[in-house]
Amino acid sequence: MDSLVRDCEKLSKHQAAATNKALSAIEATIRALEAAQADGTKLSKAHSQSKQTQDATTEQLKELGANIAKYGKHVERTFKLDLGVIAESRAFENKARELGQAIQLHFLRSGEFGLARSFTAEDLSLLDMDETAWERFEAMNALVEQIRQPPHRLEPALEWAQQNRDGLEGLGLGVEFALHRLRFLQLVEAGASAEALGYARRWFPLSHTSSERLDEITHLMGVFMYSRRLHSSPYAGLFAEGRWAEGAHEVAAAFCALQGFAAASPLAVSVAAGARALAVVSKVSSILRDRRVEWSQQDELAVEVALPDTMRFHSVFACPVSKEQASKDNPPMALPCGHVICKASLDKLARGVRPGAVASGRFKCPYCPGMATAGEAERVYF
């Protein structure tokens, strides 16, 4: 993907350079024609200039067309995936109900209640979600839409946040302050500086805030110095149109957290992570197939997929001895000296198949002089 971006940037620069050259040549031809119109003796020169411009422009267009065609083929090669190579039907064996619940929950979180009801009607096993849950999601969607759509009404969401203040604070969620900040900025943008200042004094929790929140409030107070040019000030980023979508997302995530659901849609996260992994896994699978090698490790990919921190939900431990990632069947084990290795490495050390092992069953830690036995190791839970 990075190579596609780089090639696209190169193609864009080449196209801009070719366009500038063509425009300069055309302008020179126009000047030559104007001179010929004023002086008939220069007509031959204008004709020559026109032909040179036409030939040069034609060559540039041919070269640009060839480069675009090459880039198109590059795109096709990059995204030409044989999904049959990586399809694994067994991944969803006996998981139809869980998959259906994930789809139903995604529809509800997205406000697609008609789709959710139609989907539930097709799969009656999903009917265990009571009607009150549907009503709560409908209420959440109403709050979210009022924030997202003009005129961006924040009062209903603020009332909900205040009613659930204890629960939100117990989960460490600062959605109430985020909504007050949005309202404060909304007043500033509307030119109601005095009202905005009064709002900040009333609602910003100055006396019970952390130092981090206090620093943020102090920073916000500086916005009044730029009240006449907000969108060209250092605070311009706070007034971007995307702030409403971010606020709506924060409310939805907090609402779901209060209901015991994940902050982000599990289905959306799974699809996004799968899309990131698709090209890499497809390439590795093709290589393994060409070499007639089968990946036998259950429930584990043959290659690590780089995911952003927002898609990481569990601690990951990689054994410093075998470099393998810990799993349910190969958990991390702590030796008496404090060093941690995976169970598979521990078993190999205990059997004496690695240097440093001794016949008594005691072995030396791979990273310090400490001695241990397999029985002395304790499982580590992250």
Side-chain angles (χ1 to χ4, degrees), residues 233-249:
S233 72
Y235 292 85
L238 296 177
F239 296 94
E241 191 61 28
R243 72 186 188 273
W244 303 113
E246 292 175 3
H249 175 75

Side-chain angles (χ1 to χ4, degrees), residues 81-156:
L81 301 178
D82 182 4
L83 299 182
V85 175
I86 58 175
E88 180 54 76
S89 58
R90 292 177 298 175
F92 295 104
E93 282 184 358
N94 304 318
K95 297 290 195 313
R97 178 178 172 78
E98 289 79 0
L99 185 59
Q101 288 175 335
I103 295 172
Q104 179 195 48
L105 181 59
H106 181 77
F107 285 150
L108 291 174
R109 296 172 68 118
S110 304
E112 301 290 350
F113 300 106
L115 282 175
R117 293 190 185 278
S118 298
F119 184 74
T120 304
E122 294 177 6
D123 186 355
L124 297 179
S125 66
L126 301 175
L127 288 175
D128 60 344
M129 182 176 287
D130 57 30
E131 193 64 28
T132 58
W134 288 69
E135 293 174 356
R136 288 196 294 270
F137 276 110
E138 289 175 351
M140 180 201 78
N141 188 65
L143 295 177
V144 166
E145 286 302 310
Q146 289 183 83
I147 297 172
R148 184 181 287 118
Q149 302 297 332
H152 307 298
R153 294 188 64 243
L154 297 168
E155 291 80 2

Side-chain angles (χ1 to χ4, degrees), residues 54 75 140 150 173 204 230 266 276 280 283 296 319 325 356 368:
Q54 181 180 359
V75 172
M140 180 201 78
L173 301 173
F204 284 171
L230 293 173
R276 285 174 171 267
V280 176
K283 184 176 181 179
S296 58
C319 178
Q325 184 173 309
C368 75

Side-chain angles (χ1 to χ4, degrees), residues 194-213:
E195 187 179 352
L197 182 59
Y199 187 90
R201 287 174 174 170
R202 180 181 179 185
W203 292 110
F204 284 171
L206 289 171
S207 57
H208 303 285
T209 187
S210 65
S211 58
E212 180 181 352
R213 191 60 55 76

Side-chain angles (χ1 to χ4, degrees), residues 81-344:
L81 301 178
D82 182 4
L83 299 182
V85 175
I86 58 175
E88 180 54 76
S89 58
R90 292 177 298 175
F92 295 104
E93 282 184 358
N94 304 318
K95 297 290 195 313
R97 178 178 172 78
E98 289 79 0
L99 185 59
Q101 288 175 335
I103 295 172
Q104 179 195 48
L105 181 59
H106 181 77
F107 285 150
L108 291 174
R109 296 172 68 118
S110 304
E112 301 290 350
F113 300 106
L115 282 175
R117 293 190 185 278
S118 298
F119 184 74
T120 304
E122 294 177 6
D123 186 355
L124 297 179
S125 66
L126 301 175
L127 288 175
D128 60 344
M129 182 176 287
D130 57 30
E131 193 64 28
T132 58
W134 288 69
E135 293 174 356
R136 288 196 294 270
F137 276 110
E138 289 175 351
M140 180 201 78
N141 188 65
L143 295 177
V144 166
E145 286 302 310
Q146 289 183 83
I147 297 172
R148 184 181 287 118
Q149 302 297 332
H152 307 298
R153 294 188 64 243
L154 297 168
E155 291 80 2
L158 279 166
E159 183 180 353
W160 169 82
Q162 290 162 8
Q163 292 173 352
N164 296 276
R165 179 177 296 164
D166 293 339
L168 293 170
E169 290 180 352
L171 293 172
L173 301 173
V175 66
E176 183 179 353
F177 176 80
L179 289 169
H180 282 309
R181 181 181 57 203
L182 272 177
R183 178 57 180 160
F184 168 77
L185 294 173
Q186 189 179 39
L187 292 171
V188 171
E189 189 175 32
S193 297
E195 187 179 352
L197 182 59
Y199 187 90
R201 287 174 174 170
R202 180 181 179 185
W203 292 110
F204 284 171
L206 289 171
S207 57
H208 303 285
T209 187
S210 65
S211 58
E212 180 181 352
R213 191 60 55 76
L214 184 59
D215 290 342
E216 185 176 358
I217 294 171
T218 304
H219 175 71
L220 285 172
M221 293 301 101
V223 75
F224 292 112
M225 295 188 295
Y226 303 93
S227 59
R228 295 186 179 181
R229 57 179 189 91
L230 293 173
H231 296 283
S232 61
S233 72
Y235 292 85
L238 296 177
F239 296 94
E241 191 61 28
R243 72 186 188 273
W244 303 113
E246 292 175 3
H249 175 75
E250 192 165 352
V251 169
F255 186 96
C256 290
L258 279 179
Q259 304 303 319
F261 296 109
S265 167
L267 182 64
V269 172
S270 300
V271 171
R276 285 174 171 267
L278 200 57
V280 176
V281 175
S282 176
K283 184 176 181 179
V284 172
S285 299
S286 298
I287 293 174
L288 293 176
R289 181 188 59 184
D290 293 341
R291 296 181 179 179
R292 298 182 180 180
V293 176
E294 291 186 3
W295 179 252
S296 58
Q297 188 71 26
Q298 294 292 327
D299 301 325
E300 186 175 320
L301 295 175
V303 63
E304 184 175 355
V305 178
L307 294 175
D309 291 340
T310 54
M311 291 185 180
R312 296 184 180 274
F313 303 97
H314 306 284
S315 298
V316 176
F317 174 78
C319 178
V321 176
S322 65
K323 311 303 180 186
E324 294 178 353
Q325 184 173 309
S327 65
K328 182 179 179 181
D329 298 324
N330 187 25
M333 306 292 292
L335 302 178
C337 59
H339 290 107
V340 181
I341 59 177
C342 278
K343 188 176 185 302

